[in-house]
Amino acid sequence: MEEHLLQNIKGLQQLVIDLQEMLKGFLYMEEHLLQSIKGLQQLVIDLQEMLKGFLYMEEHLLQRFKF
């Protein structure tokens, strides 16, 4: 019976190792996703900065042509 229990424990250990390996892939995917999101955030910030110039230009034109 002890031998059977040891075999079951070894099988369980192997399942845990396999699960850890599977989860590593998700960890790397999450890291990649976070890096992509950071890049996207920077693009949005840059776009906002570009659009600010147009907002100020529009504001200036409206003030200039106000009667």
Side-chain angles (χ1 to χ4, degrees), residues 11-22:
L12 185 57
Q13 284 177 327
Q14 189 56 52
L15 286 173
V16 169
I17 290 168
D18 293 344
L19 180 59
Q20 285 175 326
E21 289 302 311
M22 287 172 46

Side-chain angles (χ1 to χ4, degrees), residues 10-42:
K10 285 181 182 177
L12 185 57
Q13 284 177 327
Q14 189 56 52
L15 286 173
V16 169
I17 290 168
D18 293 344
L19 180 59
Q20 285 175 326
E21 289 302 311
M22 287 172 46
L23 292 176
K24 271 188 201 175
F26 288 107
L27 178 65
Y28 296 135
M29 280 178 19
E30 180 184 5
E31 182 63 32
H32 180 72
L33 185 59
L34 287 173
Q35 291 303 318
S36 296
I37 289 171
K38 285 180 184 176
L40 185 57
Q41 282 177 325
Q42 190 55 55

